[in-house]
Amino acid sequence: MFWKKHKGKIVVLAVIVVVLAAAFWYGSNTPGAKGIEVLHTSEPTASVSADLVDVSPSAPVVPTDIPPVESETAVLEASPQVSASPSPSTAASSAPVMAINPDTGEPAGEGSPVPVEPEDATITSTAFTCTISVSCATILDNMSYLDTAKHELVPPDGWILEPVAVTFYEGESVFDVLQRTLRQNQIHMEFVNTIIYNSAYIEGIHNLYEFDVGEGSGWMYKVNDWFPNYGCSRYQLRDGDVIEWVYTCDLGYDVGGGYATGDE
């Protein structure tokens, strides 16, 4: 009887309770009441592995396989300075090249042998004779440029070794004969092996060195009055050759060598 009499009031009251409960639930700050909340912070909440790219706004993603673009000015400023001195390979390629007679395969106009690399030379027991001499006569006219401590090294007539006939063996070079002859006559000599020219380079004889009489001074050689433009280790001697070692004070122009190119 009670339910039938108050049914309408009970239903209305129930509806009101439900509405109030719903309003309370969705309007409160109860944890989890609104589902999962995404937090937005300006700082990362966890550390990032070193091999991961930072994708925060302050560090835009740059593909690692594309190099950064540099300005032309920056590239030029970063470029190494190029030395005016040629590299060994450049120096070798720019060195004077001997003219070869295509008919004979020998140096043009001189009848001298083509260069033979020391490692390709075959020395036999066949003996020949050549003449060799060493002179520093050009220094006599340039004594003022020579250190006074070395004046006594210069002979009055310029001859360190007067022309002398010596024996050599087939396949030997100018350097072979010079080294042996000076050793036999107890005359000082100093040399270096140069990779660029594949030959020994004579630095000093009788304690007279290159540059002792200026920047253009040093030792040169000629065979049969011709100045070869290749190293003395590569000049293979022939029977009867006349070898002359001379000291130049002017890049060969004062001895007729013209800087070892044969120019006079």
Side-chain angles (χ1 to χ4, degrees), residues 194-224:
T194 59
I195 297 176
I196 293 178
Y197 301 106
N198 194 27
S199 173
Y201 173 74
I202 308 304
E203 293 183 316
I205 297 177
H206 195 52
N207 286 300
L208 296 170
Y209 286 82
E210 59 176 343
F211 310 136
D212 271 356
V213 193
E215 294 182 356
S217 63
W219 289 99
M220 300 176 63
Y221 79 101
K222 61 180 178 178
V223 181
N224 305 328

Side-chain angles (χ1 to χ4, degrees), residues 150-187:
K150 289 193 172 186
H151 282 193
E152 63 181 12
L153 297 175
V154 182
D157 58 1
W159 287 114
I160 294 174
L161 176 69
E162 294 190 38
V164 58
V166 298
T167 298
F168 73 94
Y169 297 92
E170 182 182 25
E172 286 193 313
S173 68
V174 168
F175 174 70
D176 293 328
V177 172
L178 176 68
Q179 185 178 40
R180 181 169 57 246
T181 302
L182 294 186
R183 184 171 58 244
Q184 290 172 346
N185 287 272
Q186 299 182 348
I187 298 174

Side-chain angles (χ1 to χ4, degrees), residues 46 81 95 124 126 137 186 196:
Q81 296 296 321
T124 72
T126 303
Q186 299 182 348
I196 293 178

Side-chain angles (χ1 to χ4, degrees), residues 10-219:
I10 294 173
V11 171
V12 173
L13 182 60
V15 171
I16 292 172
V17 171
V18 171
V19 171
L20 291 175
F24 172 78
W25 181 266
Y26 286 99
S28 70
N29 289 324
T30 305
K34 297 179 182 179
I36 300 176
E37 181 179 5
V38 179
L39 299 178
H40 297 277
T41 63
S42 58
E43 299 295 334
T45 58
S47 60
V48 181
S49 175
D51 57 353
L52 298 180
V53 179
D54 183 359
V55 294
S56 64
S58 60
V61 178
V62 178
T64 57
D65 58 342
I66 301 177
V69 178
E70 297 180 347
S71 67
E72 182 177 357
T73 302
V75 172
L76 291 176
E77 291 177 350
S79 300
Q81 296 296 321
V82 178
S83 172
S85 301
S87 63
S89 58
T90 303
S93 62
S94 62
V97 178
M98 180 175 52
I100 301 296
N101 186 323
D103 297 326
T104 64
E106 296 181 345
E110 295 295 342
S112 300
V114 296
V116 176
E117 305 306 324
E119 62 271 18
D120 296 333
T122 301
I123 299 175
T124 72
S125 58
T126 303
F128 295 114
T129 302
C130 69
T131 301
I132 185 171
S133 63
V134 181
S135 172
C136 64
T138 56
I139 299 181
L140 294 171
D141 296 326
N142 297 276
M143 293 293 284
S144 61
Y145 298 100
L146 181 66
D147 190 324
T148 55
K150 289 193 172 186
H151 282 193
E152 63 181 12
L153 297 175
V154 182
D157 58 1
W159 287 114
I160 294 174
L161 176 69
E162 294 190 38
V164 58
V166 298
T167 298
F168 73 94
Y169 297 92
E170 182 182 25
E172 286 193 313
S173 68
V174 168
F175 174 70
D176 293 328
V177 172
L178 176 68
Q179 185 178 40
R180 181 169 57 246
T181 302
L182 294 186
R183 184 171 58 244
Q184 290 172 346
N185 287 272
Q186 299 182 348
I187 298 174
H188 158 271
M189 181 188 75
E190 187 169 341
F191 69 95
V192 292
N193 288 310
T194 59
I195 297 176
I196 293 178
Y197 301 106
N198 194 27
S199 173
Y201 173 74
I202 308 304
E203 293 183 316
I205 297 177
H206 195 52
N207 286 300
L208 296 170
Y209 286 82
E210 59 176 343
F211 310 136
D212 271 356
V213 193
E215 294 182 356
S217 63
W219 289 99

